[in-house]
């Protein structure tokens, strides 16, 4: 049996609405290559968090392993999937991948934060191209959603295939962002 493993680590978004940030990793324990899917925020309710405007995911685990991070893939342009990009993308130091509509909204966020020249942003055509990033094969799969260019991701690893839906938090009792195939 191989000593390599597949990691799925939600840093936010699983079991809650918002703050979508999902780490996938593959490799020997402690030496996994990583990708991040989405980097969003959530909005507090005024009863529980008065005076708080945004809540960001805790990415300290990922920041400690930033040298192993290969890329960030964005599934769609809702704030709960892109809102934390201006706060973390430059520090993570890896390219972002998004479809044209989403990339334009991300670019505007980077521009507002004066980061557009610091963070590489790559445009992908949903469903048209397969990418190989480290041990991961990535394909964007178009889905119907309440915003243009919503996508799932098909993530191929040496361990197997993962289907990342990109959007399931609306059902709080059955939140499963990924299906391992």
């Amino acid at each position: 049996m191989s000593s390599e493993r597949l990691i799925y680590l939600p840093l936010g978004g699983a079991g809650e609405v918002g703050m979508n940030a999902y780490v996938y990793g593959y490799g020997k324990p402690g030496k996994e290559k990583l990708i991040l899917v989405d980097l969003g925020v959530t909005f507090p309710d005024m009863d529980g968090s008065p005076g708080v405007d945004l809540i960001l995911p805790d990415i300290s685990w990922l920041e400690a392993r930033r040298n192993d991070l290969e890329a960030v893939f964005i599934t769609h342009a809702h704030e709960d999937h892109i809102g934390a990009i201006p706060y973390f993308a430059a520090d993570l130091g890896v390219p972002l991948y998004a479809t044209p509509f989403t990339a334009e909204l991300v670019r505007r966020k980077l521009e507002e934060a004066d980061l557009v020249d610091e963070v590489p942003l790559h445009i992908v055509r949903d469903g048209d191209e397969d990418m190989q990033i480290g041990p991961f094969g990535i394909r964007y799969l178009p889905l119907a959603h309440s915003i243009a260019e919503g996508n799932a991701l098909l993530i191929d690893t040496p361990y197997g295939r993962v289907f990342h839906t990109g959007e399931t938090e609306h059902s709080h009792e059955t939140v499963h962002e990924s299906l391992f195939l």
Side-chain angles (χ1 to χ4, degrees), residues 19-173:
M19 269 191 326
N20 292 285
Y22 305 92
V23 175
Y24 292 93
Y26 182 81
K28 293 185 181 204
K31 296 182 181 185
E32 297 91 355
K33 290 299 178 188
L34 309 169
I35 58 171
L36 180 64
V37 177
D38 293 329
L39 192 50
V41 297
T42 195
F43 302 96
D45 65 61
M46 293 313 294
D47 295 333
S49 307
V52 175
D53 293 327
L54 294 175
I55 300 173
L56 305 172
D58 178 1
I59 68 163
S60 55
W61 184 90
L62 186 60
E63 288 176 315
R65 294 158 182 82
R66 83 178 82 222
N67 291 336
D68 298 318
L69 184 63
E70 301 281 337
V72 178
F73 295 92
I74 309 300
T75 60
H76 64 280
H78 278 149
E79 282 296 305
D80 62 327
H81 293 260
I82 68 170
I85 288 173
Y87 301 98
F88 297 125
D91 291 338
L92 291 175
V94 297
L96 307 175
Y97 292 84
T99 55
F101 177 78
T102 301
E104 178 58 24
L105 295 180
V106 168
R107 186 194 60 74
R108 291 178 185 192
K109 287 185 164 299
L110 294 172
E111 195 172 76
E112 287 174 12
D114 201 26
L115 297 172
V116 77
D117 294 328
E118 292 183 43
V119 179
L121 178 57
H122 300 283
I123 296 174
V124 296
R125 306 287 172 205
D126 50 354
D128 287 344
E129 53 183 286
D130 291 323
M131 295 172 278
Q132 188 68 38
I133 307 290
F136 304 99
I138 308 289
R139 176 178 276 262
Y140 276 71
L141 301 173
L143 295 176
H145 194 27
S146 61
I147 193 166
E149 297 180 3
N151 283 274
L153 295 178
L154 190 59
I155 305 169
D156 283 313
T157 74
Y159 187 77
R161 178 172 280 171
V162 178
F163 180 74
H164 183 96
T165 65
E167 192 69 73
T168 60
E169 72 265 359
H170 298 295
S171 175
H172 300 296
E173 282 73 39

